[in-house]
Amino acid sequence: MEKRKLVTIVTEENIEHLVVADIKRLGAHGYTSVSASGEGSRGTRRGDWDLNKNVRIEVVCDERTAHAIAEHLMKSYYRDYAMIIYFSDVEVLRPEKF
Amino acid sequence: MEKRKLVTIVTEENIEHLVVADIKRLGAHGYTSVSASGEGSRGTRRGDWDLNKNVRIEVVCDERTAHAIAEHLMKSYYRDYAMIIYFSDVEVLRPEKF
Amino acid sequence: MEKRKLVTIVTEENIEHLVVADIKRLGAHGYTSVSASGEGSRGTRRGDWDLNKNVRIEVVCDERTAHAIAEHLMKSYYRDYAMIIYFSDVEVLRPEKF
Amino acid sequence: MVESLLDPVVLFFLAGLVAGVAKSDLRLPESIYDILSIYLLLAIGMKGGIELHESPIAHVIAPALGTISLGVTIPFIAYAIVRRLGKFSRPDAAAIAAHYGSVSAVTFAVVLSFLTQLGVAYEQFVTVLLVLLEIPAIGIGMFIARWRAGTGTLRVRTMMHEVFLGKSMYLLVVGLVVGYVLGPHGAQPVKLVFVDVFRGALAFFLLEMGLVASNRLADLKRVGPFLVAFGVLMPILSAVFGCLIGIITGLSVGGTTVLATLAGSASYIAAPAAMRVAVPQANPTYYITVSLGITFPFNLIVGIPLYYRLALVLHGILG
Amino acid sequence: MVESLLDPVVLFFLAGLVAGVAKSDLRLPESIYDILSIYLLLAIGMKGGIELHESPIAHVIAPALGTISLGVTIPFIAYAIVRRLGKFSRPDAAAIAAHYGSVSAVTFAVVLSFLTQLGVAYEQFVTVLLVLLEIPAIGIGMFIARWRAGTGTLRVRTMMHEVFLGKSMYLLVVGLVVGYVLGPHGAQPVKLVFVDVFRGALAFFLLEMGLVASNRLADLKRVGPFLVAFGVLMPILSAVFGCLIGIITGLSVGGTTVLATLAGSASYIAAPAAMRVAVPQANPTYYITVSLGITFPFNLIVGIPLYYRLALVLHGILG
Amino acid sequence: MVESLLDPVVLFFLAGLVAGVAKSDLRLPESIYDILSIYLLLAIGMKGGIELHESPIAHVIAPALGTISLGVTIPFIAYAIVRRLGKFSRPDAAAIAAHYGSVSAVTFAVVLSFLTQLGVAYEQFVTVLLVLLEIPAIGIGMFIARWRAGTGTLRVRTMMHEVFLGKSMYLLVVGLVVGYVLGPHGAQPVKLVFVDVFRGALAFFLLEMGLVASNRLADLKRVGPFLVAFGVLMPILSAVFGCLIGIITGLSVGGTTVLATLAGSASYIAAPAAMRVAVPQANPTYYITVSLGITFPFNLIVGIPLYYRLALVLHGILG
Ligand SMILES: Nc1ncnc2c1ncn2[C@@H]1O[C@H](COP(=O)(O)O)[C@@H](O)[C@H]1O
Ligand SMILES: Nc1ncnc2c1ncn2[C@@H]1O[C@H](COP(=O)(O)O)[C@@H](O)[C@H]1O
Ligand SMILES: Nc1ncnc2c1ncn2[C@@H]1O[C@H](COP(=O)(O)O)[C@@H](O)[C@H]1O
Ligand code: NA
Ligand code: NA
Ligand code: NA
């Protein structure tokens, strides 16, 4: 089993399409997204209304891509949008896939 | 990048408001929650009906807060509610946030 | 706190019942599942239609069970179904449960 | 019983029940459950409010007081039975008692549909009785739990909050107030959605409830024979009380049938949600299985026609 | 064709198709798809059941046998064409064959709406034919897959389960039985929701299906020219068979049009779900793209009016 | 004001508002919001399209030009007020300006319901005005943001995409086109769902919107007194412009009331979504709180009856 990085992004659903496009452009081979709600420094996002929904996006990729994604998202969205990013270590069975 | 703990809690949706209030009181700066279903020692929770829904709550925080949360939740809910808690290591870019 | 493995599986919702049955048969004591959408080598799965939904399944278990699950799922579904599996390390408070 | 089986609403329930028993992994998406349950509570309240608009308030006083007395009495009786005869723990007994003191709004809707089908009239203020019977029992269940089971973790404010601002109570009351303010004329523009569509939506919902209830049946062996019997006999006992109170407070045969059904029904939305938080030590498998897996189907299929006959007979004797 | 374009149901489908082509990231929430698809299947069944109530059962026998023979024959023909002419793998050919033997309930609903709009009568038991045609083809598809492709992983019991208790079959049958038991009179209280609302809900659903189908169009180049041609010609071939069987078994022009449309339609709910589990080696891009991306829109826009003319002409010659 | 409080639609909104204020954790599932918002936009478009079918196109030209001139002017005025008097940053002022130039389709639906209730006629092409007023303001908001705030990150193509293919614009236009093609006769089969059910569904949606709006009230102190005043006075100012343009371009009292309401309404679906992407530096708390938390309730409860009187009076003086 080989090591990869798992990048988890929680952000506003209305920019999901932008974030996903960025992720793919930066070299990720896939992503998984689920609807979420939550609370952070930008207030409560209960998901009960269009502009109030969060999305939780996960990307399994190599370390280099993980950093590229985080850097780009930070630069592009952190200031203006509700967003958090965190990394963890995962192991995968088909390293060529990620 | 700095290290933090990710606390993941899967429990009954009907106590989500109590658990979230506890989490915030114990010092977490945010949380993310998604609807879930599942199965454990307390039977199948298929999410098809009010009292049958699970919720999966994630908190990124420092180790101390993580332990405080886990201890409190264990003491308050483990005996009577469907609930699991697990911890993992994550890295974050803006440590001051968590 | 004791160490366990967290196995995360993202696959097609229409085989969720098969995968869950396998997981339980192989010794896991529980699982948690959430609806998801995503993109991978098998194209975009937007979740807007029966055969187009993903599910994200999480299992906390011991290392041995984790490997048994991964091996079995790989053998049975990887070729024909959209599926990824990855592992991470987690800590749990009630090791007897997992 | 035969007449109830020809009600579309009951047929759909049976279809769901059979589906669930035949193959437990068929499931409707949770959004259907969510939307229909909210719609039905609002619509039940609204229909009641519109009817209340035309009803002289004075008439409601005696039945209302009678209903409240039912709501206060039944939980204590149920508690005593489950605790003494059934030997269940105090929290379990208290939680079950709250369910049988409270009501099922869907069962209420089905009895109205049943009476309408038979052409039997009932008082226009019955929805008020539904609301009055929902609240006290849950409060009393919490009170018993506190008093007898010493579950001191929950503060009174939180408890009140759970009772009075719980989803189902809130939606019923919103509907009732809006319907009352508008009256039949003012409600005309929304009548199609909140009144005419109602029975079809109820039928659809009961398909889902049949599935949900059938999943509960798997737990029947876990709850044991005492609770199974309780789930059938307690409703009958409560319905007898309901009939008597109905007749004493001057309700018609239709109104008496409704009150008997309310008394005999067990909550499976408001009470479980409140009890889960207020009496965490109580095992939810017990109260959910018995109220949703036994009493709910029993009332729909057997109970309602039975209570109607009971009301007829007792009215003949006492009325 | 012009008449079909003025059917609101078809217009909404086109609107969805255009939206999808113009901008593929517009999407309706999955809850709309889930709720409407369940509602439509129930309502199609129910309408059929209510009509069946009034229909002498004897009349249904010949058409039913004819329909079953279609359901048994078409998959073998489709298999042979895709395998021999198209040179597709055995699992792919078997899976595609199951789709074309089976039916699309929504296409069925659209042909009924089309005939109603034109004022053409059809037999009251056509929904029975829908149910009869849905089942065997999927079973035969599984059988071919097993026999020719040696996909031995799935046990027979699981296969039967997928076929007979799959969501769409189950909902159709529940609706049919409930409608039949109730009949027109008993179904009165739920008629508004299950009958009157139907066409509006169908229109709404087709907006969503247009979006879903348009997303499939992106895969057209992946499936190649053979399957594209197959997606248009196979329905026409099957519809000709359907017409002949309809006339032979004594159906009216309307009923013949319905049977032709059923024969010509390809499943995109039941068959894909069953084939995905039963014949995992088959590439779903092939069968989903061809049935949902090509045949479904073709039938809605061009096929149905065409089959109606065909039925008219053949009835003139043979009837 | 009293008349608006007896509209079921407004009553449900108040019920939601009160629920939200009393207990902010009651929430309806997001699927209700999703489904109803999509349905309402389609139905608003469709009703407009059906009516337009019967309307001589020539009549729409003057009011359409007048409406576009409103759509172009109001954002600049709103920008100047928020920027100069309110001292807000350029991106904030540009984003708020876009909201007040654009429209709220639900407020539009409520004014039509209000006029229908009073029996006041209005021109059949008013939905065209809704569509015309939705687009330019958002474009102009983006333009101001670019020009004054130098937010150069977004490409023009993406901006156009957000404006013209945004969910709400797209659904309105689909409804309008389908309704127009079908006309009253062709739309008959779907009229029940898209026309008759509309007001009930709108009432249900407004319960949800009341809850959502009440959650915005928590942010009132964060936006400060200037924006609170702006949220009440800007709609009145715009409504006066709307009245004048309505009278000048020959609209009836009813049509003038509709145009005044459109001018006075602020977008809370299309504009926030577009501004969030196009002007990320603008603080969404400001524009969402003021448009959804203040202007929306104000218009529903006070504004619409006020604009109607205004239209009556100005028609008396100028008409
Ligand atoms: N400490 C945290 N742990 C987990 N999720 C968080 C945390 N902080 C923020 N979030 C999530 O990230 C979203 C955006 O965060 P923020 O930008 O801080 O408002 C929130 O709505 C939450 O869903
Ligand atoms: N081993 C496990 N792995 C993942 N999720 C689990 C596991 N055990 C329990 N869960 C989740 O936690 C919920 C409560 O667990 P329990 O208290 O064991 O019934 C279940 O409904 C599952 O969603
Ligand atoms: N690199 C990745 N990171 C996160 N999720 C992925 C990744 N690749 C695939 N997935 C998810 O796994 C599903 C199946 O993947 P695949 O078999 O590659 O199509 C996709 O639909 C995604 O939801
Ligand atoms: Na009761
Ligand atoms: Na076919
Ligand atoms: Na405006």
Side-chain angles (χ1 to χ4, degrees):
Chain A
M1 287 207 296
E2 241 168 277
K3 296 214 170 293
R4 285 291 178 276
K5 282 284 172 192
L6 172 68
V7 186
T8 305
I9 304 145
V10 182
T11 191
E12 310 183 7
E13 199 214 37
N14 48 310
I15 58 165
E16 181 180 4
H17 60 295
L18 302 178
V19 171
V20 163
D22 290 346
I23 287 171
K24 284 156 62 176
R25 198 169 31 75
L26 293 167
H29 298 168
Y31 69 90
T32 296
S33 104
V34 309
S35 308
S37 56
E39 217 169 315
S41 58
R42 305 230 173 207
T44 309
R45 300 181 59 78
R46 336 166 106 217
D48 56 356
W49 171 64
D50 276 350
L51 279 227
N52 203 8
K53 293 178 183 171
N54 277 344
V55 68
R56 180 184 183 280
I57 303 171
E58 251 176 22
V59 186
V60 179
C61 56
D62 58 36
E63 185 141 7
R64 196 198 190 85
T65 311
H67 284 124
I69 289 173
E71 237 157 75
H72 176 78
L73 296 184
M74 244 179 103
K75 208 184 57 203
S76 313
Y77 305 105
Y78 259 24
R79 202 193 52 194
D80 298 323
Y81 295 96
M83 178 179 278
I84 66 164
I85 306 179
Y86 59 82
F87 301 84
S88 44
D89 294 314
V90 296
E91 289 168 318
V92 298
L93 296 163
R94 296 173 301 174
E96 70 286 358
K97 211 176 139 54
F98 301 100
Chain B
M1 286 209 294
E2 242 168 278
K3 296 215 171 293
R4 286 289 179 276
K5 283 283 171 192
L6 172 68
V7 186
T8 305
I9 303 145
V10 181
T11 190
E12 310 183 7
E13 199 214 35
N14 47 309
I15 58 164
E16 181 180 5
H17 60 296
L18 302 178
V19 172
V20 163
D22 290 345
I23 288 171
K24 283 156 63 177
R25 198 169 31 76
L26 292 167
H29 299 167
Y31 70 90
T32 296
S33 105
V34 310
S35 308
S37 56
E39 216 169 316
S41 58
R42 307 230 172 207
T44 309
R45 301 182 59 77
R46 335 165 108 219
D48 56 356
W49 171 63
D50 276 350
L51 279 227
N52 204 7
K53 293 178 182 171
N54 276 345
V55 69
R56 180 185 184 279
I57 302 172
E58 251 175 24
V59 186
V60 179
C61 55
D62 57 37
E63 186 141 8
R64 195 198 191 86
T65 311
H67 283 125
I69 289 173
E71 237 156 78
H72 175 77
L73 296 185
M74 245 178 103
K75 207 185 58 203
S76 313
Y77 305 105
Y78 259 24
R79 203 192 52 193
D80 298 323
Y81 296 96
M83 178 180 276
I84 66 164
I85 306 179
Y86 61 81
F87 301 83
S88 45
D89 294 315
V90 297
E91 289 167 318
V92 298
L93 296 162
R94 295 173 301 173
E96 70 287 357
K97 211 177 140 52
F98 301 100
Chain C
M1 288 208 296
E2 242 168 275
K3 296 216 171 294
R4 286 289 178 275
K5 281 283 171 194
L6 172 69
V7 187
T8 305
I9 303 145
V10 182
T11 190
E12 310 183 6
E13 199 214 35
N14 47 310
I15 58 164
E16 180 179 5
H17 60 297
L18 302 177
V19 171
V20 163
D22 290 345
I23 287 171
K24 283 156 62 176
R25 198 168 31 77
L26 293 167
H29 297 168
Y31 69 90
T32 297
S33 106
V34 310
S35 308
S37 56
E39 218 169 313
S41 59
R42 306 230 172 206
T44 309
R45 302 182 58 76
R46 335 168 106 218
D48 56 357
W49 170 64
D50 277 348
L51 279 226
N52 203 7
K53 293 177 183 173
N54 277 345
V55 69
R56 180 184 184 279
I57 302 173
E58 252 175 20
V59 186
V60 180
C61 54
D62 57 37
E63 185 140 7
R64 197 197 189 86
T65 310
H67 283 125
I69 289 173
E71 237 156 77
H72 175 77
L73 297 184
M74 245 179 102
K75 208 185 58 204
S76 314
Y77 305 105
Y78 259 25
R79 203 192 51 194
D80 299 323
Y81 296 97
M83 179 181 276
I84 66 164
I85 306 180
Y86 60 80
F87 300 84
S88 44
D89 295 313
V90 297
E91 289 167 317
V92 298
L93 295 162
R94 296 173 301 173
E96 70 287 357
K97 210 177 140 55
F98 301 100
Chain D
M1 239 195 89
V2 177
E3 58 269 58
S4 76
L5 291 185
L6 287 176
D7 188 334
V9 153
V10 176
L11 275 177
F12 271 100
F13 180 70
L14 286 175
L17 215 53
V18 169
V21 170
K23 180 224 188 201
S24 68
D25 55 276
L26 173 78
R27 49 166 147 164
L28 302 186
E30 77 175 78
S31 47
I32 291 191
Y33 176 85
D34 288 342
I35 293 178
L36 286 177
S37 67
I38 288 172
Y39 164 79
L40 291 176
L41 289 165
L42 260 185
I44 288 171
M46 190 129 169
K47 181 161 175 293
I50 294 171
E51 289 171 352
L52 195 62
H53 189 90
E54 311 236 283
S55 173
I57 291 291
H59 293 189
V60 82
I61 294 175
L65 292 176
T67 301
I68 291 174
S69 72
L70 278 173
V72 173
T73 322
I74 292 175
F76 285 101
I77 298 173
Y79 178 79
I81 294 175
V82 179
R83 180 87 183 107
R84 308 267 160 236
L85 299 183
K87 310 286 179 214
F88 279 78
S89 76
R90 281 168 176 159
D92 283 332
I96 293 171
H99 284 70
Y100 281 82
S102 185
V103 292
S104 150
V106 169
T107 308
F108 171 79
V110 175
V111 71
L112 297 195
S113 157
F114 173 86
L115 292 174
T116 307
Q117 197 113 328
L118 291 191
V120 177
Y122 52 84
E123 280 75 7
Q124 291 171 308
F125 51 70
V126 286
T127 310
V128 175
L129 307 186
L130 166 73
V131 170
L132 289 176
L133 201 46
E134 177 145 21
I135 290 184
I138 296 179
I140 286 170
M142 288 182 177
F143 167 76
I144 300 179
R146 231 160 209 261
W147 171 49
R148 306 261 63 179
T151 73
T153 46
L154 206 73
R155 280 170 308 132
V156 175
R157 254 193 76 226
T158 316
M159 276 174 51
M160 291 297 98
H161 201 260
E162 297 287 329
V163 175
F164 288 98
L165 288 166
K167 182 181 85 171
S168 69
M169 178 49 67
Y170 183 78
L171 290 167
L172 275 177
V173 172
V174 163
L176 200 62
V177 170
V178 170
Y180 184 75
V181 171
L182 292 175
H185 180 72
Q188 198 53 43
V190 295
K191 181 174 166 289
L192 177 65
V193 166
F194 286 101
V195 179
D196 301 345
V197 158
F198 182 76
R199 281 174 87 185
L202 181 64
F204 200 169
F205 186 69
L206 280 172
L207 180 69
E208 164 82 3
M209 286 314 298
L211 279 167
V212 171
S214 72
N215 290 329
R216 296 300 110 212
L217 293 180
D219 288 331
L220 273 197
K221 44 188 173 302
R222 289 220 241 165
V223 306
F226 176 82
L227 274 193
V228 174
F230 178 84
V232 167
L233 298 177
M234 186 70 215
I236 298 179
L237 180 66
S238 301
V240 171
F241 287 126
C243 268
L244 294 176
I245 296 281
I247 293 171
I248 291 168
T249 61
L251 292 178
S252 66
V253 170
T256 303
T257 307
V258 175
L259 188 58
T261 304
L262 283 174
S265 75
S267 168
Y268 61 85
I269 298 183
M275 289 301 121
R276 198 73 192 97
V277 172
V279 195
Q281 307 91 322
N283 184 345
T285 305
Y286 293 150
Y287 54 73
I288 290 175
T289 305
V290 69
S291 77
L292 187 54
I294 301 170
T295 300
F296 182 63
F298 170 77
N299 276 333
L300 254 54
I301 300 169
V302 180
I304 289 174
L306 184 71
Y307 309 152
Y308 171 57
R309 303 242 164 91
L310 201 68
L312 268 181
V313 169
L314 290 181
H315 254 270
I317 301 174
L318 311 169
Chain E
M1 238 199 89
V2 176
E3 57 270 57
S4 75
L5 291 184
L6 287 176
D7 188 335
V9 153
V10 176
L11 275 177
F12 271 100
F13 181 71
L14 287 175
L17 216 52
V18 169
V21 170
K23 179 222 189 200
S24 68
D25 54 276
L26 174 79
R27 50 166 148 164
L28 301 188
E30 77 175 79
S31 47
I32 290 191
Y33 176 84
D34 288 342
I35 292 178
L36 286 177
S37 67
I38 288 172
Y39 163 78
L40 292 175
L41 289 165
L42 260 185
I44 288 171
M46 190 128 170
K47 182 161 176 292
I50 294 171
E51 289 172 353
L52 194 62
H53 190 90
E54 312 237 282
S55 175
I57 291 292
H59 292 190
V60 82
I61 294 175
L65 293 175
T67 301
I68 292 173
S69 73
L70 277 174
V72 174
T73 320
I74 293 175
F76 285 101
I77 299 173
Y79 179 80
I81 294 176
V82 179
R83 180 87 183 107
R84 307 269 159 234
L85 299 184
K87 310 283 181 218
F88 278 78
S89 77
R90 282 168 177 161
D92 283 332
I96 293 170
H99 285 69
Y100 282 83
S102 184
V103 293
S104 150
V106 170
T107 308
F108 171 79
V110 175
V111 71
L112 297 195
S113 156
F114 173 85
L115 293 174
T116 306
Q117 196 113 328
L118 290 191
V120 177
Y122 52 86
E123 281 75 7
Q124 291 171 308
F125 51 72
V126 286
T127 310
V128 174
L129 308 185
L130 165 73
V131 171
L132 290 176
L133 201 45
E134 176 145 23
I135 290 184
I138 295 179
I140 287 170
M142 288 182 176
F143 167 77
I144 301 179
R146 232 158 209 263
W147 172 48
R148 305 262 65 177
T151 74
T153 45
L154 207 70
R155 280 170 308 133
V156 174
R157 254 194 77 225
T158 315
M159 275 174 52
M160 291 296 99
H161 201 261
E162 298 286 330
V163 174
F164 288 98
L165 289 165
K167 182 181 85 172
S168 69
M169 178 50 65
Y170 183 78
L171 290 167
L172 276 176
V173 171
V174 163
L176 200 62
V177 170
V178 170
Y180 184 74
V181 170
L182 292 174
H185 181 73
Q188 198 54 42
V190 296
K191 181 174 167 288
L192 177 64
V193 166
F194 287 101
V195 179
D196 302 344
V197 158
F198 182 76
R199 282 174 86 184
L202 182 63
F204 200 169
F205 186 69
L206 281 172
L207 179 70
E208 165 81 3
M209 287 313 298
L211 279 167
V212 171
S214 73
N215 290 329
R216 297 299 111 211
L217 293 180
D219 288 330
L220 273 196
K221 45 189 170 304
R222 288 218 240 165
V223 306
F226 176 81
L227 274 193
V228 175
F230 178 84
V232 168
L233 299 176
M234 185 69 213
I236 297 177
L237 180 64
S238 301
V240 171
F241 287 126
C243 267
L244 295 175
I245 295 281
I247 292 169
I248 293 169
T249 62
L251 292 178
S252 65
V253 170
T256 303
T257 307
V258 175
L259 188 58
T261 304
L262 283 173
S265 75
S267 169
Y268 61 85
I269 297 184
M275 288 302 121
R276 197 72 192 97
V277 173
V279 195
Q281 308 89 322
N283 183 345
T285 305
Y286 293 150
Y287 53 74
I288 289 175
T289 306
V290 70
S291 77
L292 186 54
I294 301 170
T295 300
F296 182 64
F298 170 76
N299 276 333
L300 254 54
I301 299 168
V302 181
I304 289 175
L306 184 70
Y307 308 151
Y308 171 57
R309 303 243 164 90
L310 201 66
L312 269 180
V313 169
L314 290 182
H315 254 272
I317 301 173
L318 310 168
Chain F
M1 238 197 89
V2 177
E3 57 270 57
S4 75
L5 291 186
L6 288 177
D7 189 333
V9 153
V10 176
L11 275 178
F12 272 100
F13 180 71
L14 286 175
L17 215 53
V18 169
V21 169
K23 181 222 188 199
S24 68
D25 54 276
L26 173 79
R27 49 167 149 165
L28 302 187
E30 77 176 78
S31 47
I32 291 191
Y33 177 85
D34 288 342
I35 293 178
L36 285 177
S37 67
I38 288 172
Y39 163 79
L40 291 176
L41 289 164
L42 260 185
I44 289 171
M46 190 129 170
K47 181 161 177 291
I50 294 171
E51 289 172 353
L52 195 62
H53 189 91
E54 312 237 281
S55 173
I57 292 290
H59 293 188
V60 83
I61 294 175
L65 293 176
T67 301
I68 292 173
S69 73
L70 277 174
V72 174
T73 322
I74 293 174
F76 284 102
I77 298 173
Y79 178 80
I81 293 175
V82 179
R83 180 88 183 106
R84 307 269 159 234
L85 299 184
K87 310 283 181 218
F88 279 78
S89 77
R90 281 169 176 157
D92 283 330
I96 292 171
H99 285 69
Y100 282 82
S102 184
V103 292
S104 150
V106 169
T107 308
F108 171 78
V110 175
V111 71
L112 297 194
S113 157
F114 173 86
L115 293 173
T116 307
Q117 196 113 329
L118 291 190
V120 177
Y122 53 85
E123 281 74 7
Q124 291 172 308
F125 51 72
V126 285
T127 310
V128 175
L129 308 186
L130 166 73
V131 171
L132 289 177
L133 200 45
E134 177 145 22
I135 291 184
I138 295 179
I140 286 169
M142 289 182 175
F143 167 78
I144 299 179
R146 230 157 210 265
W147 171 48
R148 305 260 65 179
T151 75
T153 45
L154 206 72
R155 279 170 310 133
V156 175
R157 254 193 77 226
T158 315
M159 276 176 51
M160 291 297 99
H161 201 261
E162 298 285 330
V163 175
F164 288 97
L165 288 166
K167 182 181 84 172
S168 69
M169 178 50 66
Y170 183 78
L171 290 167
L172 275 176
V173 171
V174 163
L176 201 62
V177 171
V178 170
Y180 183 76
V181 170
L182 292 174
H185 181 72
Q188 198 55 42
V190 296
K191 181 174 167 288
L192 177 64
V193 166
F194 286 102
V195 178
D196 301 345
V197 158
F198 182 77
R199 281 173 87 183
L202 182 63
F204 200 169
F205 186 69
L206 281 172
L207 179 69
E208 165 82 2
M209 287 313 299
L211 279 168
V212 171
S214 73
N215 290 328
R216 296 300 110 213
L217 293 180
D219 287 332
L220 273 196
K221 46 187 172 303
R222 287 219 241 166
V223 306
F226 175 82
L227 273 194
V228 174
F230 178 84
V232 168
L233 298 176
M234 185 70 213
I236 298 178
L237 179 66
S238 301
V240 172
F241 286 126
C243 267
L244 295 175
I245 296 281
I247 293 169
I248 293 169
T249 61
L251 292 178
S252 66
V253 171
T256 303
T257 307
V258 174
L259 188 58
T261 304
L262 283 173
S265 74
S267 169
Y268 61 86
I269 297 183
M275 288 302 121
R276 197 74 192 97
V277 173
V279 194
Q281 307 91 321
N283 183 345
T285 305
Y286 293 150
Y287 53 75
I288 290 175
T289 305
V290 70
S291 78
L292 186 54
I294 301 170
T295 300
F296 183 63
F298 171 76
N299 277 333
L300 253 54
I301 299 167
V302 181
I304 289 175
L306 185 71
Y307 309 150
Y308 171 57
R309 301 238 167 95
L310 201 68
L312 269 180
V313 170
L314 289 182
H315 253 271
I317 301 174
L318 311 168

